[in-house]
Amino acid sequence: MRIDVITIFPEYLEPLNVSLVGKARARGQLDVRIHNLRDWTHDRHNTVDDSPFGGGPGMVMKPEPWGEALDAVTAEAGEQLPVLVVPTPSGLPFTQELAVELSERPWLVFTPARYEGIDRRVIEEYGDRFDVREVSIGDYVLAGGEAPVLVIVEAVARLLPGVLGNAESHRDDSFAPGAMADLLEGPVYTKPPVWREREVPEVLLSGHHGKVARFRRDEAFRRTTANRPDLIERCDPAALDKLDRKL
Ligand SMILES: Nc1cc(-c2ccc3ccn(Cc4ccccc4)c3c2)n[nH]1
């Protein structure tokens, strides 16, 4: 998979050099290219923003630098067209389902903006040619799109074949379709068996796989009911029932 990110804060994307994504890049599983939007400005101040038509607070990112940057970055798009991922507070919710869909595409181009966003005509211009996805990572307001890019890239990269080590798996992730009937993960424990007089639940030391699975399912159900009752509503009763029968 190829990933391009166009940003006025390239240093914000440094975390893509470390950990899971950094290792995947080093192994050649991911080709990540970070571009500075200001490389496509031509004035003395490398201007990327201007005041909004119609008035109002803040500034809007000018279309010209984005147009030149996107033309340059997508120049070699032959049959393989990229998905343009535009982080925005007003986008489609980013979900595990969308992460899975994006992980199956060969090329993602991210356009994290700042200020009040990018001149709408840029989205329209490239929406005619590419698959443009405006994506929100949650119902809270950030100051720009770089943090969402880090979130989306990590969620997508960990789904790529061979990126997660054997010891880890995304099969039973929370939100992974069908995993644990879409319940949240339950609590996890490791050695020591007693820590500050706090013991690990006995069942987890029992070696009885059926009882361990039942404990984990019950804890997942309890935690989901407490924190995300909406997910219980969404749960397919048959999947829950299947889980019961499996245990
Ligand atoms: N889930 C999510 C995404 C964002 C986000 C993404 C990109 C940008 C670019 C500029 N801003 C600032 C902004 C604040 C409010 C209204 C418009 C723009 C951004 C915010 N916030 N929250």
PDB file of all heavy atoms in Angstrom, residues 20-55:
ATOM      1  N   LEU A  20       4.385   0.354  14.925  1.00  0.00           N
ATOM      2  CA  LEU A  20       3.750  -0.544  13.939  1.00  0.00           C
ATOM      3  C   LEU A  20       3.898  -0.013  12.509  1.00  0.00           C
ATOM      4  O   LEU A  20       4.361  -0.707  11.594  1.00  0.00           O
ATOM      5  CB  LEU A  20       2.273  -0.669  14.305  1.00  0.00           C
ATOM      6  CG  LEU A  20       1.386  -1.511  13.394  1.00  0.00           C
ATOM      7  CD1 LEU A  20       0.692  -2.586  14.199  1.00  0.00           C
ATOM      8  CD2 LEU A  20       0.339  -0.640  12.715  1.00  0.00           C
ATOM      9  N   VAL A  21       3.582   1.268  12.296  1.00  0.00           N
ATOM     10  CA  VAL A  21       3.643   1.827  10.934  1.00  0.00           C
ATOM     11  C   VAL A  21       5.100   1.968  10.505  1.00  0.00           C
ATOM     12  O   VAL A  21       5.479   1.637   9.377  1.00  0.00           O
ATOM     13  CB  VAL A  21       2.892   3.176  10.859  1.00  0.00           C
ATOM     14  CG1 VAL A  21       3.079   3.827   9.485  1.00  0.00           C
ATOM     15  CG2 VAL A  21       1.413   2.982  11.171  1.00  0.00           C
ATOM     16  N   GLY A  22       5.942   2.401  11.440  1.00  0.00           N
ATOM     17  CA  GLY A  22       7.377   2.554  11.133  1.00  0.00           C
ATOM     18  C   GLY A  22       7.989   1.229  10.714  1.00  0.00           C
ATOM     19  O   GLY A  22       8.716   1.155   9.705  1.00  0.00           O
ATOM     20  N   LYS A  23       7.638   0.162  11.438  1.00  0.00           N
ATOM     21  CA  LYS A  23       8.184  -1.168  11.113  1.00  0.00           C
ATOM     22  C   LYS A  23       7.659  -1.640   9.754  1.00  0.00           C
ATOM     23  O   LYS A  23       8.393  -2.190   8.940  1.00  0.00           O
ATOM     24  CB  LYS A  23       7.811  -2.181  12.200  1.00  0.00           C
ATOM     25  CG  LYS A  23       8.546  -1.962  13.532  1.00  0.00           C
ATOM     26  CD  LYS A  23       8.361  -3.183  14.462  1.00  0.00           C
ATOM     27  CE  LYS A  23       9.063  -2.983  15.798  1.00  0.00           C
ATOM     28  NZ  LYS A  23       8.341  -2.023  16.677  1.00  0.00           N
ATOM     29  N   ALA A  24       6.373  -1.396   9.504  1.00  0.00           N
ATOM     30  CA  ALA A  24       5.790  -1.824   8.221  1.00  0.00           C
ATOM     31  C   ALA A  24       6.465  -1.084   7.066  1.00  0.00           C
ATOM     32  O   ALA A  24       6.718  -1.649   6.000  1.00  0.00           O
ATOM     33  CB  ALA A  24       4.283  -1.550   8.225  1.00  0.00           C
ATOM     34  N   ARG A  25       6.831   0.173   7.291  1.00  0.00           N
ATOM     35  CA  ARG A  25       7.559   0.946   6.251  1.00  0.00           C
ATOM     36  C   ARG A  25       8.948   0.351   6.032  1.00  0.00           C
ATOM     37  O   ARG A  25       9.379   0.141   4.903  1.00  0.00           O
ATOM     38  CB  ARG A  25       7.693   2.409   6.665  1.00  0.00           C
ATOM     39  CG  ARG A  25       6.375   3.152   6.698  1.00  0.00           C
ATOM     40  CD  ARG A  25       6.536   4.548   7.238  1.00  0.00           C
ATOM     41  NE  ARG A  25       7.151   5.466   6.278  1.00  0.00           N
ATOM     42  CZ  ARG A  25       7.342   6.777   6.539  1.00  0.00           C
ATOM     43  NH1 ARG A  25       7.033   7.250   7.732  1.00  0.00           N
ATOM     44  NH2 ARG A  25       7.878   7.578   5.615  1.00  0.00           N
ATOM     45  N   ALA A  26       9.594   0.029   7.154  1.00  0.00           N
ATOM     46  CA  ALA A  26      10.971  -0.506   7.070  1.00  0.00           C
ATOM     47  C   ALA A  26      10.967  -1.854   6.346  1.00  0.00           C
ATOM     48  O   ALA A  26      11.892  -2.181   5.611  1.00  0.00           O
ATOM     49  CB  ALA A  26      11.546  -0.656   8.477  1.00  0.00           C
ATOM     50  N   ARG A  27       9.856  -2.607   6.526  1.00  0.00           N
ATOM     51  CA  ARG A  27       9.755  -3.926   5.884  1.00  0.00           C
ATOM     52  C   ARG A  27       9.272  -3.810   4.442  1.00  0.00           C
ATOM     53  O   ARG A  27       9.108  -4.803   3.739  1.00  0.00           O
ATOM     54  CB  ARG A  27       8.775  -4.818   6.681  1.00  0.00           C
ATOM     55  CG  ARG A  27       9.329  -5.371   7.985  1.00  0.00           C
ATOM     56  CD  ARG A  27       8.461  -6.525   8.479  1.00  0.00           C
ATOM     57  NE  ARG A  27       7.119  -6.038   8.808  1.00  0.00           N
ATOM     58  CZ  ARG A  27       6.701  -5.842  10.071  1.00  0.00           C
ATOM     59  NH1 ARG A  27       7.507  -6.073  11.084  1.00  0.00           N
ATOM     60  NH2 ARG A  27       5.481  -5.396  10.330  1.00  0.00           N
ATOM     61  N   GLY A  28       8.954  -2.576   4.029  1.00  0.00           N
ATOM     62  CA  GLY A  28       8.487  -2.408   2.641  1.00  0.00           C
ATOM     63  C   GLY A  28       7.028  -2.770   2.454  1.00  0.00           C
ATOM     64  O   GLY A  28       6.518  -2.832   1.330  1.00  0.00           O
ATOM     65  N   GLN A  29       6.292  -2.962   3.563  1.00  0.00           N
ATOM     66  CA  GLN A  29       4.859  -3.278   3.427  1.00  0.00           C
ATOM     67  C   GLN A  29       4.044  -2.011   3.179  1.00  0.00           C
ATOM     68  O   GLN A  29       2.910  -2.067   2.726  1.00  0.00           O
ATOM     69  CB  GLN A  29       4.359  -3.947   4.718  1.00  0.00           C
ATOM     70  CG  GLN A  29       4.939  -5.342   4.929  1.00  0.00           C
ATOM     71  CD  GLN A  29       4.648  -5.842   6.336  1.00  0.00           C
ATOM     72  OE1 GLN A  29       4.994  -5.162   7.299  1.00  0.00           O
ATOM     73  NE2 GLN A  29       4.042  -6.996   6.437  1.00  0.00           N
ATOM     74  N   LEU A  30       4.630  -0.884   3.560  1.00  0.00           N
ATOM     75  CA  LEU A  30       3.933   0.392   3.403  1.00  0.00           C
ATOM     76  C   LEU A  30       4.899   1.387   2.775  1.00  0.00           C
ATOM     77  O   LEU A  30       6.064   1.463   3.177  1.00  0.00           O
ATOM     78  CB  LEU A  30       3.536   0.941   4.788  1.00  0.00           C
ATOM     79  CG  LEU A  30       2.115   0.793   5.298  1.00  0.00           C
ATOM     80  CD1 LEU A  30       1.995   1.486   6.642  1.00  0.00           C
ATOM     81  CD2 LEU A  30       1.121   1.366   4.310  1.00  0.00           C
ATOM     82  N   ASP A  31       4.418   2.136   1.786  1.00  0.00           N
ATOM     83  CA  ASP A  31       5.242   3.181   1.162  1.00  0.00           C
ATOM     84  C   ASP A  31       4.575   4.499   1.544  1.00  0.00           C
ATOM     85  O   ASP A  31       3.525   4.853   0.988  1.00  0.00           O
ATOM     86  CB  ASP A  31       5.223   2.955  -0.363  1.00  0.00           C
ATOM     87  CG  ASP A  31       5.807   4.138  -1.131  1.00  0.00           C
ATOM     88  OD1 ASP A  31       6.429   5.020  -0.488  1.00  0.00           O
ATOM     89  OD2 ASP A  31       5.603   4.193  -2.365  1.00  0.00           O
ATOM     90  N   VAL A  32       5.126   5.190   2.561  1.00  0.00           N
ATOM     91  CA  VAL A  32       4.510   6.413   3.075  1.00  0.00           C
ATOM     92  C   VAL A  32       5.338   7.613   2.639  1.00  0.00           C
ATOM     93  O   VAL A  32       6.553   7.641   2.853  1.00  0.00           O
ATOM     94  CB  VAL A  32       4.397   6.386   4.617  1.00  0.00           C
ATOM     95  CG1 VAL A  32       3.785   7.692   5.144  1.00  0.00           C
ATOM     96  CG2 VAL A  32       3.548   5.190   5.064  1.00  0.00           C
ATOM     97  N   ARG A  33       4.675   8.588   1.978  1.00  0.00           N
ATOM     98  CA  ARG A  33       5.382   9.782   1.505  1.00  0.00           C
ATOM     99  C   ARG A  33       4.705  11.023   2.079  1.00  0.00           C
ATOM    100  O   ARG A  33       3.502  11.217   1.875  1.00  0.00           O
ATOM    101  CB  ARG A  33       5.358   9.817  -0.029  1.00  0.00           C
ATOM    102  CG  ARG A  33       5.854   8.512  -0.660  1.00  0.00           C
ATOM    103  CD  ARG A  33       5.748   8.522  -2.167  1.00  0.00           C
ATOM    104  NE  ARG A  33       5.912   7.157  -2.688  1.00  0.00           N
ATOM    105  CZ  ARG A  33       6.082   6.902  -3.997  1.00  0.00           C
ATOM    106  NH1 ARG A  33       6.084   7.903  -4.888  1.00  0.00           N
ATOM    107  NH2 ARG A  33       6.225   5.663  -4.420  1.00  0.00           N
ATOM    108  N   ILE A  34       5.458  11.831   2.792  1.00  0.00           N
ATOM    109  CA  ILE A  34       4.918  13.051   3.398  1.00  0.00           C
ATOM    110  C   ILE A  34       5.357  14.238   2.565  1.00  0.00           C
ATOM    111  O   ILE A  34       6.538  14.363   2.225  1.00  0.00           O
ATOM    112  CB  ILE A  34       5.449  13.224   4.847  1.00  0.00           C
ATOM    113  CG1 ILE A  34       5.272  11.937   5.658  1.00  0.00           C
ATOM    114  CG2 ILE A  34       4.770  14.408   5.541  1.00  0.00           C
ATOM    115  CD1 ILE A  34       3.853  11.488   5.865  1.00  0.00           C
ATOM    116  N   HIS A  35       4.382  15.105   2.200  1.00  0.00           N
ATOM    117  CA  HIS A  35       4.672  16.254   1.337  1.00  0.00           C
ATOM    118  C   HIS A  35       4.294  17.543   2.054  1.00  0.00           C
ATOM    119  O   HIS A  35       3.238  17.607   2.706  1.00  0.00           O
ATOM    120  CB  HIS A  35       3.843  16.156   0.048  1.00  0.00           C
ATOM    121  CG  HIS A  35       3.913  14.817  -0.623  1.00  0.00           C
ATOM    122  ND1 HIS A  35       4.910  14.468  -1.518  1.00  0.00           N
ATOM    123  CD2 HIS A  35       3.113  13.724  -0.513  1.00  0.00           C
ATOM    124  CE1 HIS A  35       4.706  13.233  -1.941  1.00  0.00           C
ATOM    125  NE2 HIS A  35       3.631  12.749  -1.331  1.00  0.00           N
ATOM    126  N   ASN A  36       5.126  18.567   1.889  1.00  0.00           N
ATOM    127  CA  ASN A  36       4.818  19.868   2.497  1.00  0.00           C
ATOM    128  C   ASN A  36       4.039  20.705   1.483  1.00  0.00           C
ATOM    129  O   ASN A  36       4.567  21.050   0.415  1.00  0.00           O
ATOM    130  CB  ASN A  36       6.118  20.586   2.899  1.00  0.00           C
ATOM    131  CG  ASN A  36       5.834  21.832   3.721  1.00  0.00           C
ATOM    132  OD1 ASN A  36       4.784  22.479   3.522  1.00  0.00           O
ATOM    133  ND2 ASN A  36       6.734  22.158   4.635  1.00  0.00           N
ATOM    134  N   LEU A  37       2.814  21.057   1.835  1.00  0.00           N
ATOM    135  CA  LEU A  37       1.948  21.817   0.914  1.00  0.00           C
ATOM    136  C   LEU A  37       2.637  23.097   0.437  1.00  0.00           C
ATOM    137  O   LEU A  37       2.464  23.535  -0.712  1.00  0.00           O
ATOM    138  CB  LEU A  37       0.626  22.162   1.616  1.00  0.00           C
ATOM    139  CG  LEU A  37      -0.377  22.982   0.806  1.00  0.00           C
ATOM    140  CD1 LEU A  37      -0.926  22.165  -0.375  1.00  0.00           C
ATOM    141  CD2 LEU A  37      -1.520  23.476   1.702  1.00  0.00           C
ATOM    142  N   ARG A  38       3.459  23.681   1.316  1.00  0.00           N
ATOM    143  CA  ARG A  38       4.093  24.954   0.961  1.00  0.00           C
ATOM    144  C   ARG A  38       5.091  24.798  -0.201  1.00  0.00           C
ATOM    145  O   ARG A  38       5.456  25.784  -0.828  1.00  0.00           O
ATOM    146  CB  ARG A  38       4.783  25.569   2.191  1.00  0.00           C
ATOM    147  CG  ARG A  38       3.813  25.972   3.289  1.00  0.00           C
ATOM    148  CD  ARG A  38       4.469  26.832   4.347  1.00  0.00           C
ATOM    149  NE  ARG A  38       3.679  26.908   5.577  1.00  0.00           N
ATOM    150  CZ  ARG A  38       2.672  27.757   5.771  1.00  0.00           C
ATOM    151  NH1 ARG A  38       2.335  28.614   4.820  1.00  0.00           N
ATOM    152  NH2 ARG A  38       1.994  27.751   6.910  1.00  0.00           N
ATOM    153  N   ASP A  39       5.466  23.562  -0.522  1.00  0.00           N
ATOM    154  CA  ASP A  39       6.340  23.354  -1.686  1.00  0.00           C
ATOM    155  C   ASP A  39       5.624  23.737  -2.982  1.00  0.00           C
ATOM    156  O   ASP A  39       6.261  23.906  -4.019  1.00  0.00           O
ATOM    157  CB  ASP A  39       6.780  21.886  -1.771  1.00  0.00           C
ATOM    158  CG  ASP A  39       7.724  21.509  -0.628  1.00  0.00           C
ATOM    159  OD1 ASP A  39       8.150  22.432   0.108  1.00  0.00           O
ATOM    160  OD2 ASP A  39       7.994  20.300  -0.454  1.00  0.00           O
ATOM    161  N   TRP A  40       4.317  23.879  -2.925  1.00  0.00           N
ATOM    162  CA  TRP A  40       3.520  24.232  -4.108  1.00  0.00           C
ATOM    163  C   TRP A  40       2.969  25.643  -3.999  1.00  0.00           C
ATOM    164  O   TRP A  40       1.920  25.959  -4.540  1.00  0.00           O
ATOM    165  CB  TRP A  40       2.409  23.205  -4.334  1.00  0.00           C
ATOM    166  CG  TRP A  40       2.958  21.901  -4.864  1.00  0.00           C
ATOM    167  CD1 TRP A  40       3.303  21.596  -6.155  1.00  0.00           C
ATOM    168  CD2 TRP A  40       3.278  20.730  -4.077  1.00  0.00           C
ATOM    169  NE1 TRP A  40       3.796  20.312  -6.237  1.00  0.00           N
ATOM    170  CE2 TRP A  40       3.798  19.756  -4.972  1.00  0.00           C
ATOM    171  CE3 TRP A  40       3.156  20.420  -2.715  1.00  0.00           C
ATOM    172  CZ2 TRP A  40       4.197  18.494  -4.557  1.00  0.00           C
ATOM    173  CZ3 TRP A  40       3.558  19.162  -2.303  1.00  0.00           C
ATOM    174  CH2 TRP A  40       4.060  18.210  -3.209  1.00  0.00           C
ATOM    175  N   THR A  41       3.667  26.511  -3.201  1.00  0.00           N
ATOM    176  CA  THR A  41       3.330  27.938  -3.174  1.00  0.00           C
ATOM    177  C   THR A  41       4.474  28.674  -3.873  1.00  0.00           C
ATOM    178  O   THR A  41       5.588  28.142  -3.972  1.00  0.00           O
ATOM    179  CB  THR A  41       3.199  28.439  -1.721  1.00  0.00           C
ATOM    180  OG1 THR A  41       4.457  28.273  -1.045  1.00  0.00           O
ATOM    181  CG2 THR A  41       2.094  27.681  -0.986  1.00  0.00           C
ATOM    182  N   HIS A  42       4.166  29.898  -4.368  1.00  0.00           N
ATOM    183  CA  HIS A  42       5.194  30.588  -5.167  1.00  0.00           C
ATOM    184  C   HIS A  42       5.431  32.022  -4.715  1.00  0.00           C
ATOM    185  O   HIS A  42       6.200  32.745  -5.334  1.00  0.00           O
ATOM    186  CB  HIS A  42       4.762  30.562  -6.648  1.00  0.00           C
ATOM    187  CG  HIS A  42       4.383  29.182  -7.106  1.00  0.00           C
ATOM    188  ND1 HIS A  42       5.295  28.163  -7.244  1.00  0.00           N
ATOM    189  CD2 HIS A  42       3.162  28.623  -7.367  1.00  0.00           C
ATOM    190  CE1 HIS A  42       4.670  27.052  -7.611  1.00  0.00           C
ATOM    191  NE2 HIS A  42       3.377  27.301  -7.694  1.00  0.00           N
ATOM    192  N   ASP A  43       4.775  32.399  -3.625  1.00  0.00           N
ATOM    193  CA  ASP A  43       5.001  33.767  -3.140  1.00  0.00           C
ATOM    194  C   ASP A  43       6.040  33.754  -2.025  1.00  0.00           C
ATOM    195  O   ASP A  43       6.358  32.715  -1.468  1.00  0.00           O
ATOM    196  CB  ASP A  43       3.665  34.361  -2.629  1.00  0.00           C
ATOM    197  CG  ASP A  43       3.144  33.579  -1.435  1.00  0.00           C
ATOM    198  OD1 ASP A  43       2.929  32.353  -1.579  1.00  0.00           O
ATOM    199  OD2 ASP A  43       2.992  34.169  -0.349  1.00  0.00           O
ATOM    200  N   ARG A  44       6.484  34.951  -1.689  1.00  0.00           N
ATOM    201  CA  ARG A  44       7.596  35.086  -0.724  1.00  0.00           C
ATOM    202  C   ARG A  44       7.230  34.475   0.631  1.00  0.00           C
ATOM    203  O   ARG A  44       8.069  33.932   1.322  1.00  0.00           O
ATOM    204  CB  ARG A  44       7.923  36.585  -0.564  1.00  0.00           C
ATOM    205  CG  ARG A  44       9.239  36.873   0.126  1.00  0.00           C
ATOM    206  CD  ARG A  44       9.813  38.203  -0.388  1.00  0.00           C
ATOM    207  NE  ARG A  44       8.811  39.286  -0.229  1.00  0.00           N
ATOM    208  CZ  ARG A  44       8.822  40.102   0.835  1.00  0.00           C
ATOM    209  NH1 ARG A  44       9.706  39.946   1.784  1.00  0.00           N
ATOM    210  NH2 ARG A  44       7.935  41.074   0.937  1.00  0.00           N
ATOM    211  N   HIS A  45       5.946  34.551   0.979  1.00  0.00           N
ATOM    212  CA  HIS A  45       5.541  34.069   2.319  1.00  0.00           C
ATOM    213  C   HIS A  45       5.000  32.643   2.282  1.00  0.00           C
ATOM    214  O   HIS A  45       4.477  32.152   3.270  1.00  0.00           O
ATOM    215  CB  HIS A  45       4.497  35.024   2.906  1.00  0.00           C
ATOM    216  CG  HIS A  45       5.012  36.431   3.063  1.00  0.00           C
ATOM    217  ND1 HIS A  45       6.036  36.752   3.936  1.00  0.00           N
ATOM    218  CD2 HIS A  45       4.682  37.585   2.431  1.00  0.00           C
ATOM    219  CE1 HIS A  45       6.299  38.048   3.854  1.00  0.00           C
ATOM    220  NE2 HIS A  45       5.497  38.582   2.936  1.00  0.00           N
ATOM    221  N   ASN A  46       5.054  31.998   1.113  1.00  0.00           N
ATOM    222  CA  ASN A  46       4.504  30.627   0.999  1.00  0.00           C
ATOM    223  C   ASN A  46       3.076  30.579   1.545  1.00  0.00           C
ATOM    224  O   ASN A  46       2.732  29.730   2.385  1.00  0.00           O
ATOM    225  CB  ASN A  46       5.393  29.632   1.754  1.00  0.00           C
ATOM    226  CG  ASN A  46       6.817  29.620   1.174  1.00  0.00           C
ATOM    227  OD1 ASN A  46       7.755  30.039   1.831  1.00  0.00           O
ATOM    228  ND2 ASN A  46       6.953  29.179  -0.063  1.00  0.00           N
ATOM    229  N   THR A  47       2.240  31.472   1.041  1.00  0.00           N
ATOM    230  CA  THR A  47       0.885  31.619   1.566  1.00  0.00           C
ATOM    231  C   THR A  47      -0.020  30.445   1.183  1.00  0.00           C
ATOM    232  O   THR A  47      -0.045  30.040   0.012  1.00  0.00           O
ATOM    233  CB  THR A  47       0.270  32.930   1.015  1.00  0.00           C
ATOM    234  OG1 THR A  47       1.194  33.993   1.276  1.00  0.00           O
ATOM    235  CG2 THR A  47      -1.070  33.220   1.671  1.00  0.00           C
ATOM    236  N   VAL A  48      -0.722  29.907   2.176  1.00  0.00           N
ATOM    237  CA  VAL A  48      -1.637  28.787   1.890  1.00  0.00           C
ATOM    238  C   VAL A  48      -3.072  29.113   2.283  1.00  0.00           C
ATOM    239  O   VAL A  48      -3.975  28.308   2.095  1.00  0.00           O
ATOM    240  CB  VAL A  48      -1.192  27.498   2.636  1.00  0.00           C
ATOM    241  CG1 VAL A  48       0.125  26.987   2.097  1.00  0.00           C
ATOM    242  CG2 VAL A  48      -1.145  27.729   4.133  1.00  0.00           C
ATOM    243  N   ASP A  49      -3.302  30.297   2.879  1.00  0.00           N
ATOM    244  CA  ASP A  49      -4.649  30.614   3.384  1.00  0.00           C
ATOM    245  C   ASP A  49      -5.036  32.033   3.013  1.00  0.00           C
ATOM    246  O   ASP A  49      -4.182  32.861   2.653  1.00  0.00           O
ATOM    247  CB  ASP A  49      -4.681  30.457   4.904  1.00  0.00           C
ATOM    248  CG  ASP A  49      -3.752  31.474   5.588  1.00  0.00           C
ATOM    249  OD1 ASP A  49      -2.561  31.549   5.207  1.00  0.00           O
ATOM    250  OD2 ASP A  49      -4.230  32.221   6.441  1.00  0.00           O
ATOM    251  N   ASP A  50      -6.345  32.281   3.073  1.00  0.00           N
ATOM    252  CA  ASP A  50      -6.838  33.632   2.812  1.00  0.00           C
ATOM    253  C   ASP A  50      -8.182  33.775   3.533  1.00  0.00           C
ATOM    254  O   ASP A  50      -8.745  32.781   4.024  1.00  0.00           O
ATOM    255  CB  ASP A  50      -7.019  33.853   1.304  1.00  0.00           C
ATOM    256  CG  ASP A  50      -6.934  35.331   0.932  1.00  0.00           C
ATOM    257  OD1 ASP A  50      -7.266  36.177   1.812  1.00  0.00           O
ATOM    258  OD2 ASP A  50      -6.540  35.640  -0.212  1.00  0.00           O
ATOM    259  N   SER A  51      -8.703  34.995   3.554  1.00  0.00           N
ATOM    260  CA  SER A  51      -9.954  35.235   4.306  1.00  0.00           C
ATOM    261  C   SER A  51     -11.154  34.624   3.572  1.00  0.00           C
ATOM    262  O   SER A  51     -11.132  34.507   2.343  1.00  0.00           O
ATOM    263  CB  SER A  51     -10.164  36.744   4.477  1.00  0.00           C
ATOM    264  OG  SER A  51     -10.070  37.359   3.209  1.00  0.00           O
ATOM    265  N   PRO A  52     -12.170  34.220   4.304  1.00  0.00           N
ATOM    266  CA  PRO A  52     -13.305  33.521   3.688  1.00  0.00           C
ATOM    267  C   PRO A  52     -14.218  34.463   2.905  1.00  0.00           C
ATOM    268  O   PRO A  52     -14.568  35.541   3.390  1.00  0.00           O
ATOM    269  CB  PRO A  52     -14.048  32.927   4.884  1.00  0.00           C
ATOM    270  CG  PRO A  52     -13.648  33.743   6.065  1.00  0.00           C
ATOM    271  CD  PRO A  52     -12.275  34.283   5.767  1.00  0.00           C
ATOM    272  N   PHE A  53     -14.608  34.075   1.705  1.00  0.00           N
ATOM    273  CA  PHE A  53     -15.673  34.800   0.996  1.00  0.00           C
ATOM    274  C   PHE A  53     -16.925  34.713   1.866  1.00  0.00           C
ATOM    275  O   PHE A  53     -17.196  33.665   2.497  1.00  0.00           O
ATOM    276  CB  PHE A  53     -15.969  34.156  -0.372  1.00  0.00           C
ATOM    277  CG  PHE A  53     -15.058  34.649  -1.471  1.00  0.00           C
ATOM    278  CD1 PHE A  53     -14.331  33.739  -2.236  1.00  0.00           C
ATOM    279  CD2 PHE A  53     -14.936  36.004  -1.734  1.00  0.00           C
ATOM    280  CE1 PHE A  53     -13.495  34.178  -3.256  1.00  0.00           C
ATOM    281  CE2 PHE A  53     -14.089  36.451  -2.750  1.00  0.00           C
ATOM    282  CZ  PHE A  53     -13.375  35.542  -3.507  1.00  0.00           C
ATOM    283  N   GLY A  54     -17.683  35.812   1.898  1.00  0.00           N
ATOM    284  CA  GLY A  54     -18.900  35.813   2.714  1.00  0.00           C
ATOM    285  C   GLY A  54     -18.619  36.202   4.151  1.00  0.00           C
ATOM    286  O   GLY A  54     -19.530  36.263   4.974  1.00  0.00           O
ATOM    287  N   GLY A  55     -17.316  36.452   4.443  1.00  0.00           N
ATOM    288  CA  GLY A  55     -16.976  36.902   5.796  1.00  0.00           C
ATOM    289  C   GLY A  55     -16.989  35.758   6.796  1.00  0.00           C
ATOM    290  O   GLY A  55     -17.175  34.595   6.428  1.00  0.00           O
TER     291      GLY A  55
END
